[in-house]
Amino acid sequence: MMSELIAISQVKSEWQELKQNYDAMLWAAFVQKYKADERSGIKAILESVYKAEATYLKEEERIQSLRFFENKFGQDHALIGGIDEVGRGPLAGPVITCAVILPKDCHIHGINDSKKLSEKKREELYEILMKEAVSVSLGRRDAERIDKMNILQATYEAMGDSVRGLNPKPDLMLVDAVHIPNIDVEQVDIIQGDAKSISIGAASILAKVTRDHMMEEYDVLYPEYGFARNKGYGTAEHIEALKKYGPCPIHRASFIGNFF
């Protein structure tokens, strides 16, 4: 048998290279090439091919379902954007918004509500999205502005900046459960949109990673609060530090009154 002359380690290396990118024809040819080989090591490799393909196809199906709204409205709108925010609830740090326009037929696997992803996966997707997105635009409102006008209005302001910063300009924005005032772009609000729309999900990832990086930088300036770990949210450690040291310049005065 020809394949028996090939070392199992070589077959494994061949598969490791193939698995980097799904190609139904190449994967099928690989299986066909070695399926008559009775060695247990080869059978184990082929089993990993079958599992990898099943995983890929399941994820592809999920991504297709995430494109429901983009496909639905894409018939009448050439450029569809998604927008989301992160940081409405923390005691410290800015609220960050992100608007993004993805390629028309985006199939980036792994996109989901950022809260459902690991930090490592968010970072990986952040790099991919920043390279492949048609346009990305961030908005930011700091603690001073949040205290002055309240978190909801500050978030709306930041969202408006995000939408206006997109180039090219979108024909439609998909928004997670809210309606953004003072923008001249048609909007569709979707309840739990970050888990139902690939565009909103992508925006949630970009906003989350951006804000996390900011809070890690603030941790260097104000290490006593543990911002790198808690990202400004009201963990027990953060609240204890707040009571001990008092607020720092990035704390939201309107959020921390109950702790003094």
Side-chain angles (χ1 to χ4, degrees):
M1 186 182 300
M2 184 62 67
S3 61
E4 288 183 342
L5 301 177
I6 302 175
I8 291 176
S9 60
Q10 184 176 336
V11 178
K12 186 175 182 179
S13 295
E14 185 180 347
W15 165 234
Q16 290 299 319
E17 183 175 348
L18 276 177
K19 72 185 292 187
Q20 299 305 312
N21 294 290
Y22 178 72
D23 186 308
M25 293 183 65
L26 290 179
W27 286 26
F30 177 83
V31 170
Q32 183 66 27
K33 182 178 178 180
Y34 295 109
K35 70 177 185 178
D37 195 316
E38 294 297 326
R39 289 177 291 176
S40 59
I42 298 296
K43 288 183 177 181
I45 293 170
L46 295 186
E47 185 62 29
S48 69
V49 177
Y50 303 140
K51 289 181 179 179
E53 182 168 45
T55 298
Y56 178 92
L57 294 176
K58 182 178 180 180
E59 176 62 9
E60 182 65 17
E61 182 179 359
R62 188 186 70 84
I63 291 297
Q64 287 288 1
S65 70
L66 276 184
R67 291 189 52 79
F68 172 80
F69 292 101
E70 285 77 3
N71 292 335
K72 176 181 178 180
F73 296 109
Q75 299 174 18
D76 301 314
H77 301 84
L79 288 175
I80 296 177
I83 187 167
D84 203 10
E85 54 74 26
V86 64
R88 286 177 63 175
L91 307 180
V95 60
I96 299 296
T97 61
C98 179
V100 60
I101 300 174
L102 296 177
K104 189 73 172 179
D105 194 27
C106 178
H107 287 268
I108 300 173
H109 283 197
I111 293 177
N112 205 336
D113 174 3
S114 63
K115 296 184 291 296
K116 297 180 179 180
L117 301 173
S118 67
E119 180 180 358
K120 179 181 178 181
K121 190 62 178 178
R122 287 195 300 266
E123 293 284 350
E124 291 174 357
L125 287 167
Y126 176 90
E127 296 297 330
I128 295 171
L129 288 165
M130 290 300 290
K131 290 178 182 177
E132 298 195 15
V134 173
S135 182
V136 174
S137 176
L138 295 165
R140 170 178 178 169
R141 288 297 182 273
D142 292 317
E144 183 178 1
R145 188 65 173 169
I146 292 169
D147 289 335
K148 182 176 181 179
M149 62 187 316
N150 77 49
I151 184 60
L152 180 59
Q153 296 306 315
T155 301
Y156 283 156
E157 271 196 351
M159 283 183 157
D161 287 352
S162 295
V163 175
R164 287 185 287 271
L166 288 172
N167 185 20
K169 180 180 177 179
D171 304 300
L172 178 74
M173 289 301 301
L174 303 178
V175 189
D176 188 8
V178 299
H179 187 85
I180 309 168
N182 303 318
I183 62 170
D184 61 350
V185 179
E186 183 181 350
Q187 303 175 55
V188 173
D189 58 288
I190 303 168
I191 303 298
Q192 295 183 334
D194 46 9
K196 295 179 180 178
S197 158
I198 192 169
S199 299
I200 300 177
S204 77
I205 293 167
L206 293 168
K208 171 65 174 170
V209 173
T210 297
R211 188 179 188 280
D212 283 356
H213 289 176
M214 289 180 179
M215 296 309 296
E216 289 160 8
E217 292 173 3
Y218 281 128
D219 185 68
V220 176
L221 294 175
Y222 313 109
E224 58 268 37
Y225 302 100
F227 289 143
R229 294 183 296 277
N230 60 54
K231 304 301 187 288
Y233 286 88
T235 64
E237 174 194 34
H238 183 187
I239 293 172
E240 182 179 351
L242 186 58
K243 291 178 178 179
K244 181 176 181 180
Y245 300 106
C248 75
I250 70 165
H251 276 105
R252 304 172 181 178
S254 55
F255 280 51
I256 61 176
N258 291 337
F259 302 116
F260 297 97

